[in-house]
Coordinates of all heavy atoms in Angstrom, one line a residue:
M1258 N 70.2 109.1 164.7 CA 71.1 110.1 165.0 C 71.3 110.2 166.5 O 70.3 110.2 167.2 CB 70.6 111.4 164.5 CG 71.6 112.6 164.6 SD 72.5 112.6 163.1 CE 73.3 114.1 163.0
L1259 N 72.5 110.2 167.0 CA 72.8 110.2 168.4 C 72.8 111.7 168.9 O 73.2 112.6 168.2 CB 74.2 109.7 168.7 CG 74.4 108.2 168.5 CD1 75.9 107.9 168.7 CD2 73.6 107.4 169.4
N1260 N 72.3 111.8 170.1 CA 72.4 113.1 170.7 C 73.8 113.3 171.3 O 74.5 112.3 171.4 CB 71.3 113.4 171.8 CG 71.4 112.4 173.0 OD1 72.5 112.2 173.5 ND2 70.3 111.9 173.4
K1261 N 74.1 114.5 171.6 CA 75.5 114.8 172.0 C 75.9 114.0 173.3 O 77.0 113.5 173.3 CB 75.7 116.3 172.3 CG 77.1 116.8 172.6 CD 77.2 118.2 172.9 CE 78.6 118.6 173.3 NZ 78.8 120.0 173.5
E1262 N 75.1 113.9 174.2 CA 75.4 113.2 175.5 C 75.7 111.7 175.2 O 76.6 111.2 175.7 CB 74.2 113.3 176.5 CG 74.5 112.7 177.8 CD 73.4 112.9 178.8 OE1 72.6 113.8 178.6 OE2 73.3 112.0 179.7
D1263 N 74.8 111.1 174.4 CA 75.0 109.7 174.1 C 76.3 109.5 173.3 O 77.1 108.5 173.5 CB 73.8 109.1 173.3 CG 72.6 108.9 174.2 OD1 72.8 108.9 175.5 OD2 71.5 108.8 173.7
K1264 N 76.5 110.4 172.3 CA 77.8 110.3 171.5 C 79.0 110.4 172.4 O 79.9 109.6 172.3 CB 77.8 111.4 170.5 CG 78.9 111.3 169.5 CD 78.8 112.4 168.5 CE 79.9 112.4 167.4 NZ 81.2 112.7 167.8
E1265 N 79.0 111.3 173.4 CA 80.1 111.5 174.2 C 80.3 110.3 175.2 O 81.4 109.8 175.4 CB 80.0 112.7 175.1 CG 80.2 114.0 174.2 CD 80.1 115.3 175.0 OE1 79.6 115.3 176.2 OE2 80.3 116.3 174.4
K1266 N 79.2 109.7 175.6 CA 79.3 108.4 176.4 C 79.9 107.3 175.6 O 80.7 106.5 176.1 CB 77.9 108.0 177.0 CG 77.4 108.9 178.1 CD 76.0 108.5 178.5 CE 75.4 109.4 179.6 NZ 74.1 109.0 179.9
I1267 N 79.5 107.2 174.4 CA 80.0 106.1 173.5 C 81.5 106.3 173.2 O 82.3 105.4 173.3 CB 79.2 106.0 172.2 CG1 77.8 105.5 172.5 CG2 79.9 105.1 171.2 CD1 76.8 105.6 171.4
E1268 N 81.9 107.6 173.0 CA 83.3 107.9 172.7 C 84.1 107.6 174.0 O 85.2 107.1 173.8 CB 83.4 109.4 172.3 CG 82.9 109.7 170.9 CD 82.8 111.2 170.6 OE1 82.8 112.0 171.5 OE2 82.6 111.5 169.4
A1269 N 83.6 108.0 175.1 CA 84.4 107.7 176.4 C 84.5 106.2 176.6 O 85.6 105.8 177.0 CB 83.6 108.4 177.5
A1270 N 83.5 105.5 176.4 CA 83.5 104.0 176.6 C 84.5 103.4 175.6 O 85.3 102.5 175.9 CB 82.1 103.4 176.4
T1271 N 84.5 103.9 174.4 CA 85.5 103.4 173.4 C 86.9 103.7 173.8 O 87.8 102.8 173.6 CB 85.2 104.1 172.0 OG1 83.8 103.8 171.6 CG2 86.1 103.6 170.9
L1272 N 87.2 104.9 174.3 CA 88.5 105.2 174.8 C 88.9 104.3 175.9 O 90.0 103.8 175.9 CB 88.6 106.7 175.2 CG 90.0 107.1 175.8 CD1 91.1 106.9 174.8 CD2 90.0 108.5 176.4
R1273 N 88.0 104.1 176.9 CA 88.3 103.2 178.0 C 88.6 101.8 177.5 O 89.5 101.1 178.0 CB 87.1 103.1 179.0 CG 87.0 104.4 179.8 CD 86.0 104.3 180.9 NE 84.6 104.0 180.5 CZ 83.8 105.0 180.2 NH1 84.2 106.3 180.3 NH2 82.6 104.7 179.8
R1274 N 87.9 101.3 176.5 CA 88.2 100.0 175.9 C 89.5 100.0 175.2 O 90.3 99.0 175.3 CB 87.0 99.7 174.9 CG 87.1 98.3 174.4 CD 85.9 97.9 173.6 NE 86.0 96.6 173.0 CZ 85.0 96.0 172.3 NH1 83.9 96.7 172.1 NH2 85.2 94.8 171.8
L1275 N 89.9 101.0 174.5 CA 91.2 101.1 173.8 C 92.3 101.0 174.9 O 93.3 100.3 174.8 CB 91.3 102.3 173.0 CG 92.7 102.7 172.4 CD1 93.2 101.5 171.5 CD2 92.7 104.0 171.7
V1276 N 92.2 101.8 175.9 CA 93.2 101.9 177.0 C 93.3 100.5 177.7 O 94.4 100.0 177.9 CB 92.8 103.0 178.0 CG1 93.7 102.9 179.3 CG2 93.0 104.4 177.4
A1277 N 92.2 99.9 178.0 CA 92.2 98.5 178.6 C 92.9 97.5 177.7 O 93.7 96.7 178.1 CB 90.8 98.1 178.9
H1278 N 92.6 97.6 176.4 CA 93.3 96.8 175.4 C 94.8 97.0 175.4 O 95.6 96.0 175.4 CB 92.7 97.0 174.0 CG 93.4 96.2 172.9 ND1 93.2 94.9 172.7 CD2 94.4 96.6 172.0 CE1 93.9 94.5 171.7 NE2 94.7 95.5 171.3
L1279 N 95.2 98.2 175.4 CA 96.7 98.6 175.4 C 97.3 98.1 176.8 O 98.5 97.7 176.8 CB 96.9 100.0 175.2 CG 96.5 100.5 173.8 CD1 96.6 102.0 173.7 CD2 97.4 99.8 172.7
Q1280 N 96.6 98.2 177.9 CA 97.1 97.8 179.1 C 97.3 96.3 179.2 O 98.3 95.7 179.7 CB 96.2 98.2 180.3 CG 96.3 99.7 180.6 CD 95.3 100.1 181.6 OE1 94.4 99.3 182.1 NE2 95.4 101.4 182.0
K1281 N 96.4 95.6 178.5 CA 96.4 94.1 178.5 C 97.5 93.6 177.6 O 98.2 92.6 177.8 CB 95.1 93.5 178.2 CG 95.0 92.0 178.2 CD 93.6 91.5 177.9 CE 93.6 90.0 177.9 NZ 92.3 89.5 177.5
D1282 N 97.6 94.2 176.4 CA 98.5 93.7 175.4 C 99.9 94.4 175.5 O 100.2 95.3 174.8 CB 97.9 94.0 174.0 CG 98.7 93.3 172.9 OD1 99.8 92.7 173.2 OD2 98.3 93.3 171.7
T1283 N 100.6 94.0 176.5 CA 101.9 94.6 176.8 C 103.0 94.2 175.8 O 104.0 94.9 175.8 CB 102.4 94.2 178.2 OG1 102.4 92.8 178.3 CG2 101.5 94.8 179.3
N1284 N 102.7 93.2 175.0 CA 103.7 92.9 173.9 C 103.7 94.0 172.8 O 104.6 94.1 172.0 CB 103.4 91.5 173.3 CG 103.8 90.4 174.2 OD1 104.8 90.5 174.9 ND2 103.0 89.4 174.2
L1285 N 102.6 94.7 172.7 CA 102.5 95.8 171.7 C 103.3 97.0 172.2 O 102.9 97.6 173.1 CB 101.0 96.2 171.5 CG 100.7 97.2 170.4 CD1 101.3 96.8 169.1 CD2 99.3 97.4 170.3
Q1286 N 104.4 97.2 171.5 CA 105.4 98.2 171.9 C 104.9 99.6 171.3 O 104.3 99.6 170.3 CB 106.8 97.9 171.4 CG 107.3 96.6 172.0 CD 107.6 96.7 173.5 OE1 108.4 97.5 173.9 NE2 106.9 96.0 174.3
N1287 N 105.3 100.6 172.1 CA 104.9 102.0 171.6 C 105.5 102.3 170.2 O 104.9 102.9 169.4 CB 105.4 103.0 172.6 CG 104.4 103.1 173.8 OD1 103.3 102.8 173.7 ND2 105.0 103.5 174.9
I1288 N 106.7 101.8 170.0 CA 107.4 102.1 168.7 C 106.6 101.4 167.6 O 106.4 101.9 166.5 CB 108.9 101.6 168.7 CG1 109.6 102.1 167.4 CG2 109.0 100.1 168.8 CD1 109.8 103.6 167.4
D1289 N 106.0 100.2 167.8 CA 105.2 99.5 166.8 C 103.9 100.3 166.6 O 103.5 100.5 165.4 CB 104.8 98.1 167.3 CG 106.1 97.2 167.5 OD1 107.1 97.4 166.8 OD2 106.0 96.3 168.3
L1290 N 103.3 100.8 167.7 CA 102.1 101.6 167.5 C 102.4 102.9 166.7 O 101.7 103.3 165.8 CB 101.6 102.1 168.9 CG 100.8 101.0 169.6 CD1 100.6 101.5 171.1 CD2 99.5 100.7 169.0
M1291 N 103.6 103.5 167.0 CA 103.9 104.8 166.3 C 104.2 104.5 164.8 O 103.7 105.2 163.9 CB 105.2 105.4 166.9 CG 105.0 106.1 168.2 SD 103.8 107.4 168.1 CE 104.7 108.6 167.1
N1292 N 104.8 103.4 164.5 CA 105.1 103.0 163.1 C 103.9 102.7 162.3 O 103.8 103.0 161.2 CB 106.1 101.9 163.1 CG 107.5 102.3 163.4 OD1 107.9 103.5 163.3 ND2 108.3 101.4 163.9
L1293 N 103.0 102.0 163.0 CA 101.7 101.5 162.3 C 100.6 102.5 162.3 O 99.9 102.7 161.3 CB 101.3 100.2 162.9 CG 102.2 99.0 162.7 CD1 101.7 97.8 163.5 CD2 102.2 98.6 161.2
A1294 N 100.4 103.2 163.4 CA 99.2 104.0 163.6 C 99.5 105.5 163.8 O 98.6 106.3 163.7 CB 98.4 103.5 164.8
G1295 N 100.8 105.8 164.0 CA 101.1 107.2 164.2 C 100.8 107.8 165.6 O 100.8 109.0 165.8
F1296 N 100.5 106.9 166.6 CA 100.3 107.3 167.9 C 100.7 106.2 168.9 O 100.8 105.0 168.4 CB 98.8 107.8 168.2 CG 97.9 106.6 168.3 CD1 97.5 106.1 169.5 CD2 97.4 106.0 167.2 CE1 96.6 105.0 169.6 CE2 96.5 105.0 167.3 CZ 96.1 104.5 168.5
C1297 N 100.8 106.5 170.1 CA 101.2 105.4 171.1 C 100.5 105.8 172.4 O 99.7 106.7 172.5 CB 102.7 105.3 171.3 SG 103.5 106.7 172.1
R1298 N 100.8 105.0 173.5 CA 100.2 105.3 174.8 C 100.6 106.7 175.3 O 99.8 107.3 175.9 CB 100.8 104.2 175.8 CG 100.3 102.8 175.5 CD 101.1 101.8 176.3 NE 100.7 100.4 176.0 CZ 101.2 99.6 175.1 NH1 102.2 100.1 174.3 NH2 100.8 98.4 174.9
N1299 N 101.8 107.1 175.0 CA 102.2 108.4 175.5 C 101.4 109.5 174.8 O 101.1 110.5 175.4 CB 103.7 108.6 175.2 CG 104.6 107.7 176.1 OD1 104.2 107.4 177.2 ND2 105.7 107.3 175.6
C1300 N 101.2 109.3 173.5 CA 100.4 110.3 172.7 C 99.0 110.4 173.3 O 98.5 111.5 173.5 CB 100.2 109.8 171.3 SG 101.8 109.8 170.4
I1301 N 98.4 109.3 173.7 CA 97.0 109.3 174.3 C 97.1 110.2 175.6 O 96.2 111.0 175.8 CB 96.5 107.9 174.6 CG1 96.3 107.2 173.2 CG2 95.2 108.0 175.4 CD1 96.0 105.7 173.4
S1302 N 98.1 109.9 176.4 CA 98.3 110.7 177.6 C 98.4 112.2 177.3 O 97.8 113.0 178.0 CB 99.5 110.2 178.3 OG 99.5 108.8 178.6
K1303 N 99.2 112.5 176.3 CA 99.4 114.0 176.0 C 98.1 114.6 175.5 O 97.8 115.7 175.8 CB 100.5 114.1 175.0 CG 101.9 113.8 175.5 CD 102.9 113.8 174.4 CE 104.3 113.4 175.0 NZ 105.3 113.3 174.0
W1304 N 97.4 113.8 174.7 CA 96.1 114.3 174.1 C 95.1 114.6 175.2 O 94.4 115.6 175.2 CB 95.5 113.3 173.1 CG 96.3 113.1 171.9 CD1 97.3 113.8 171.4 CD2 96.2 112.0 171.0 NE1 97.8 113.3 170.2 CE2 97.2 112.1 170.0 CE3 95.4 110.8 171.0 CZ2 97.3 111.2 168.9 CZ3 95.6 109.9 170.0 CH2 96.5 110.1 168.9
M1305 N 95.1 113.7 176.2 CA 94.2 113.9 177.4 C 94.5 115.2 178.1 O 93.6 116.0 178.4 CB 94.2 112.7 178.3 CG 93.5 111.5 177.7 SD 93.4 110.1 178.9 CE 92.1 110.8 180.0
V1306 N 95.8 115.4 178.4 CA 96.2 116.6 179.0 C 95.9 117.9 178.2 O 95.4 118.9 178.7 CB 97.7 116.6 179.3 CG1 98.3 117.9 179.8 CG2 98.0 115.5 180.3
E1307 N 96.1 117.8 176.9 CA 95.8 118.9 176.0 C 94.3 119.2 175.9 O 93.9 120.4 176.0 CB 96.4 118.6 174.6 CG 97.9 118.7 174.5 CD 98.4 118.1 173.2 OE1 97.6 117.8 172.3 OE2 99.6 118.0 173.1
E1308 N 93.5 118.2 175.8 CA 92.0 118.4 175.8 C 91.5 118.9 177.1 O 90.6 119.8 177.1 CB 91.3 117.1 175.4 CG 91.6 116.6 174.0 CD 91.3 117.7 172.9 OE1 90.2 118.3 173.0 OE2 92.1 117.8 172.0
A1309 N 92.1 118.5 178.2 CA 91.6 119.0 179.5 C 92.0 120.5 179.6 O 91.2 121.3 180.1 CB 92.3 118.2 180.6
S1310 N 93.2 120.8 179.1 CA 93.6 122.2 179.1 C 92.7 123.1 178.3 O 92.4 124.2 178.8 CB 95.0 122.3 178.6 OG 95.4 123.7 178.5
K1311 N 92.1 122.6 177.2 CA 91.2 123.4 176.4 C 89.9 123.7 177.2 O 89.2 124.6 176.9 CB 90.8 122.6 175.2 CG 91.9 122.6 174.1 CD 91.5 121.7 172.9 CE 92.7 121.5 172.0 NZ 92.2 120.7 170.8
M1312 N 89.6 122.8 178.2 CA 88.5 123.0 179.1 C 88.8 123.6 180.4 O 88.0 123.6 181.3 CB 87.8 121.6 179.3 CG 87.4 120.9 178.0 SD 87.0 119.2 178.3 CE 85.3 119.4 178.9
N1313 N 90.0 124.2 180.4 CA 90.5 124.9 181.6 C 90.6 123.9 182.8 O 90.4 124.3 184.0 CB 89.7 126.1 182.0 CG 89.8 127.2 181.0 OD1 90.9 127.5 180.5 ND2 88.7 127.8 180.6
V1314 N 91.0 122.7 182.5 CA 91.2 121.7 183.6 C 92.7 121.3 183.5 O 93.2 121.0 182.4 CB 90.3 120.4 183.3 CG1 90.7 119.3 184.3 CG2 88.9 120.8 183.4
S1315 N 93.3 121.3 184.6 CA 94.8 121.0 184.7 C 94.9 119.6 185.1 O 94.5 119.1 186.1 CB 95.5 121.9 185.7 OG 96.8 121.6 185.8
L1316 N 95.6 118.8 184.2 CA 95.9 117.4 184.5 C 97.4 117.3 184.5 O 98.1 117.9 183.7 CB 95.3 116.5 183.5 CG 93.8 116.3 183.4 CD1 93.4 115.4 182.3 CD2 93.3 115.9 184.7
D1317 N 98.0 116.5 185.4 CA 99.4 116.2 185.5 C 99.7 115.1 184.5 O 99.1 114.0 184.6 CB 99.8 115.8 186.9 CG 101.2 115.5 187.0 OD1 101.7 114.4 186.7 OD2 102.0 116.4 187.4
Y1318 N 100.6 115.3 183.5 CA 100.9 114.4 182.5 C 101.4 113.0 183.1 O 101.0 112.0 182.6 CB 102.0 115.0 181.6 CG 102.6 114.0 180.6 CD1 101.8 113.5 179.6 CD2 103.9 113.5 180.7 CE1 102.3 112.6 178.6 CE2 104.4 112.6 179.8 CZ 103.6 112.1 178.8 OH 104.1 111.2 177.9
E1319 N 102.2 113.1 184.1 CA 102.8 111.8 184.7 C 101.6 111.0 185.3 O 101.6 109.7 185.1 CB 103.9 112.1 185.7 CG 105.1 112.6 185.1 CD 105.8 111.7 184.0 OE1 105.7 110.5 184.2 OE2 106.3 112.3 183.0
I1320 N 100.7 111.6 185.9 CA 99.6 110.9 186.5 C 98.7 110.3 185.4 O 98.3 109.1 185.5 CB 98.8 111.8 187.5 CG1 99.6 112.2 188.7 CG2 97.4 111.2 187.9 CD1 99.0 113.2 189.6
V1321 N 98.4 111.1 184.4 CA 97.6 110.6 183.3 C 98.3 109.4 182.6 O 97.7 108.4 182.3 CB 97.3 111.7 182.3 CG1 96.6 111.2 181.0 CG2 96.4 112.8 182.9
R1322 N 99.6 109.6 182.4 CA 100.4 108.5 181.7 C 100.3 107.2 182.5 O 100.1 106.1 182.0 CB 101.8 109.0 181.5 CG 102.6 107.9 180.7 CD 103.8 108.5 180.1 NE 104.8 108.9 181.0 CZ 106.1 109.2 180.7 NH1 106.5 109.1 179.5 NH2 106.9 109.6 181.6
N1323 N 100.5 107.3 183.8 CA 100.4 106.2 184.7 C 99.0 105.5 184.6 O 98.9 104.3 184.6 CB 100.7 106.5 186.1 CG 102.2 106.9 186.3 OD1 103.0 106.6 185.5 ND2 102.5 107.5 187.5
E1324 N 98.0 106.3 184.5 CA 96.6 105.8 184.3 C 96.5 105.1 183.0 O 95.9 104.0 182.9 CB 95.6 106.9 184.4 CG 95.5 107.4 185.8 CD 94.5 108.6 186.0 OE1 93.9 108.9 185.0 OE2 94.4 109.1 187.1
I1325 N 97.0 105.6 181.9 CA 97.0 105.0 180.6 C 97.7 103.7 180.6 O 97.3 102.7 180.1 CB 97.5 105.9 179.5 CG1 96.6 107.2 179.3 CG2 97.6 105.2 178.1 CD1 95.2 106.9 178.9
Y1326 N 98.9 103.6 181.2 CA 99.7 102.4 181.3 C 99.1 101.4 182.3 O 99.4 100.2 182.2 CB 101.1 102.7 181.6 CG 101.9 103.2 180.4 CD1 101.9 104.6 180.0 CD2 102.7 102.3 179.6 CE1 102.7 105.0 178.9 CE2 103.4 102.7 178.5 CZ 103.4 104.1 178.2 OH 104.1 104.5 177.1
G1327 N 98.3 101.9 183.2 CA 97.8 101.0 184.2 C 98.7 100.7 185.4 O 98.5 99.9 186.2
M1328 N 99.8 101.4 185.4 CA 100.9 101.3 186.4 C 101.8 102.5 186.3 O 101.7 103.2 185.3 CB 101.6 100.0 186.3 CG 102.4 99.8 185.1 SD 103.2 98.2 184.9 CE 101.8 97.1 184.7
D1329 N 102.8 102.6 187.2 CA 103.8 103.6 187.0 C 104.5 103.4 185.7 O 104.9 102.3 185.4 CB 104.8 103.6 188.2 CG 105.7 104.7 188.2 OD1 105.4 105.8 188.6 OD2 106.9 104.4 187.8
Y1330 N 104.8 104.5 185.0 CA 105.4 104.4 183.7 C 106.8 103.7 183.8 O 107.1 102.8 182.9 CB 105.5 105.7 183.0 CG 106.3 105.8 181.7 CD1 105.8 105.1 180.6 CD2 107.4 106.5 181.6 CE1 106.5 105.1 179.4 CE2 108.1 106.5 180.4 CZ 107.6 105.8 179.3 OH 108.3 105.8 178.1
S1331 N 107.6 104.0 184.8 CA 108.9 103.4 184.9 C 108.8 101.9 185.2 O 109.6 101.2 184.7 CB 109.7 104.1 186.0 OG 109.1 104.0 187.2
E1332 N 107.8 101.5 185.9 CA 107.5 100.1 186.1 C 107.2 99.4 184.8 O 107.7 98.3 184.5 CB 106.4 99.9 187.2 CG 106.1 98.4 187.4 CD 105.0 98.3 188.4 OE1 104.5 99.3 189.0 OE2 104.6 97.1 188.6
W1333 N 106.3 100.0 184.0 CA 105.9 99.4 182.7 C 107.1 99.3 181.8 O 107.3 98.2 181.2 CB 104.8 100.3 182.0 CG 104.2 99.6 180.9 CD1 103.0 98.9 180.9 CD2 104.7 99.5 179.5 NE1 102.8 98.4 179.6 CE2 103.8 98.8 178.8 CE3 105.8 100.1 178.9 CZ2 103.9 98.5 177.4 CZ3 106.0 99.8 177.5 CH2 105.1 99.1 176.8
K1334 N 107.9 100.3 181.8 CA 109.2 100.3 180.9 C 110.1 99.1 181.4 O 110.6 98.4 180.6 CB 109.9 101.6 181.0 CG 109.4 102.7 180.1 CD 110.1 104.0 180.2 CE 111.6 103.8 179.9 NZ 112.3 105.1 179.9
R1335 N 110.3 99.0 182.7 CA 111.1 97.9 183.2 C 110.6 96.6 182.9 O 111.3 95.7 182.5 CB 111.3 98.1 184.7 CG 112.3 97.2 185.4 CD 112.5 97.5 186.8 NE 111.5 97.9 187.7 CZ 110.4 97.2 188.1 NH1 110.2 96.0 187.6 NH2 109.5 97.7 188.9
K1336 N 109.3 96.4 183.0 CA 108.7 95.1 182.8 C 108.5 94.7 181.4 O 108.7 93.5 181.0 CB 107.3 95.0 183.5 CG 107.3 94.9 185.0 CD 105.9 94.8 185.5 CE 105.9 94.5 187.0 NZ 104.5 94.3 187.5
Y1337 N 108.1 95.7 180.5 CA 107.6 95.3 179.2 C 108.3 95.9 178.0 O 108.2 95.4 176.9 CB 106.1 95.7 179.1 CG 105.3 95.0 180.2 CD1 104.6 95.8 181.2 CD2 105.1 93.7 180.2 CE1 103.9 95.2 182.2 CE2 104.3 93.1 181.2 CZ 103.7 93.9 182.2 OH 103.0 93.3 183.2
Q1338 N 109.0 97.0 178.2 CA 109.6 97.7 177.1 C 110.8 96.9 176.6 O 111.7 96.6 177.4 CB 110.0 99.1 177.4 CG 110.5 99.8 176.1 CD 110.7 101.3 176.4 OE1 109.7 102.0 176.9 NE2 111.8 101.9 176.0
K1339 N 110.8 96.5 175.3 CA 111.9 95.7 174.7 C 112.9 96.7 174.3 O 112.7 97.8 173.8 CB 111.3 94.9 173.6 CG 110.3 93.9 174.0 CD 109.7 93.2 172.8 CE 108.6 92.2 173.3 NZ 107.9 91.7 172.2
P1340 N 114.2 96.2 174.3 CA 115.3 97.1 173.8 C 115.1 97.4 172.3 O 114.5 96.5 171.6 CB 116.5 96.3 174.0 CG 116.1 95.0 174.6 CD 114.7 95.0 174.7
I1341 N 115.5 98.5 171.8 CA 115.5 98.9 170.4 C 116.4 98.0 169.6 O 117.6 97.9 170.0 CB 115.8 100.4 170.2 CG1 114.8 101.2 170.9 CG2 115.9 100.7 168.7 CD1 115.1 102.7 170.9
E1342 N 115.8 97.4 168.6 CA 116.7 96.5 167.7 C 117.4 97.4 166.7 O 116.8 98.3 166.1 CB 115.8 95.5 167.1 CG 115.2 94.5 168.0 CD 114.2 93.5 167.3 OE1 114.3 93.4 166.1 OE2 113.5 92.9 168.1
E1343 N 118.6 97.1 166.5 CA 119.4 97.9 165.5 C 119.6 97.1 164.2 O 119.5 96.0 164.1 CB 120.7 98.3 166.1 CG 120.5 99.2 167.3 CD 121.8 99.8 167.8 OE1 122.8 99.9 167.0 OE2 121.8 100.1 169.0

């Protein structure tokens, strides 16, 4: 059984690994993530802001989103976001 501190460290490391994976795999589009898993990079950013708020910590969504994307969101969109297929 893990103690709370170790569990939180493992959870944090897992989130960092997921974020690194999403930053590296730029072919994986947010729409694909939403369709398959029900969340995307933007969701992770929003969740971080919401969880921080519960702890009375204020995070700026745009800054958090840039951190999740590993670059400015507008730059990521320009470089990697594919047009919506109709």
